Amino acid sequence: TQDAAKAFAMQLYSMDLRNAEDIDKAFAELPKKHVDAVLVATSNPLVTLHSKRIVELALKHRLPGMYPTRQFVEESGLMAYGPLISDLYYRAATYIDKILKGAKPADLPIEQPTKFEFIINLKTAKQIGVTIPPNVLARADRVIR
């Protein structure tokens, strides 16, 4: 992520979240750093559990946000791009099936996600004053109006 930011001449501020209190502290720092957007690049349990709070704080600061899963956009986040979670569960079920039929877990290949989804929430875009270009809307798998 740092390399991509540099390639676009953008400054990236990374925040390490270890507990729920860190979320409020991180957002309190954003105005001081003149942050223009939020990127949640991970869906670890802490972030997933507090997704609603993260989205609320981004909206409070009128910051567009890009999130890793649909859940955030359904909670009024602006956009999400990430693996289709239902497909990951399906793939996990196939692994369980193979293991129950005698396969050794160490012999099973590691798979990368193959199905992704891009979702945009236009209600949120309007709320924070962001215009989504038509070519970006056309690429979305789902648009919440």
Side-chain angles (χ1 to χ4, degrees):
T1 308
Q2 285 286 358
D3 291 341
K6 285 179 187 174
F8 288 99
M10 298 172 76
Q11 181 68 42
L12 183 69
Y13 297 100
S14 179
M15 294 176 229
D16 191 22
L17 305 176
R18 298 188 188 280
N19 56 54
E21 294 77 34
D22 287 346
I23 296 168
D24 289 307
K25 289 176 190 173
F27 274 91
E29 289 294 312
L30 297 183
K32 299 171 193 169
K33 297 186 187 265
H34 306 288
V35 170
D36 297 319
V38 172
L39 170 65
V40 176
T42 182
S43 56
N44 69 42
L46 175 70
V47 170
T48 302
L49 181 64
H50 296 284
S51 60
K52 182 84 171 146
R53 181 71 181 144
I54 292 168
V55 167
E56 286 171 353
L57 287 167
L59 291 174
K60 176 183 172 187
H61 291 279
R62 298 183 52 84
L63 293 170
M66 175 63 96
Y67 303 96
T69 62
R70 165 190 302 212
Q71 171 183 340
F72 291 86
V73 178
E74 290 172 346
E75 293 171 342
S76 297
L78 180 62
M79 294 187 286
Y81 179 74
L84 187 61
I85 302 298
S86 59
D87 187 59
L88 297 179
Y89 287 134
Y90 173 78
R91 297 302 313 144
T94 19
Y95 270 67
I96 292 167
D97 180 59
K98 289 176 183 179
I99 292 166
L100 292 174
K101 289 179 179 174
K104 294 181 182 177
D107 294 339
L108 296 175
I110 295 173
E111 294 184 11
Q112 295 291 325
T114 57
K115 294 182 181 178
F116 294 81
E117 62 182 345
F118 177 40
I119 305 168
I120 300 171
N121 188 324
L122 285 180
K123 288 187 232 177
T124 300
K126 184 176 180 181
Q127 181 180 349
I128 62 174
V130 171
T131 302
I132 307 294
N135 62 332
V136 175
L137 281 173
R139 292 183 178 138
D141 297 300
R142 181 172 167 220
V143 176
I144 298 173
R145 299 186 186 274

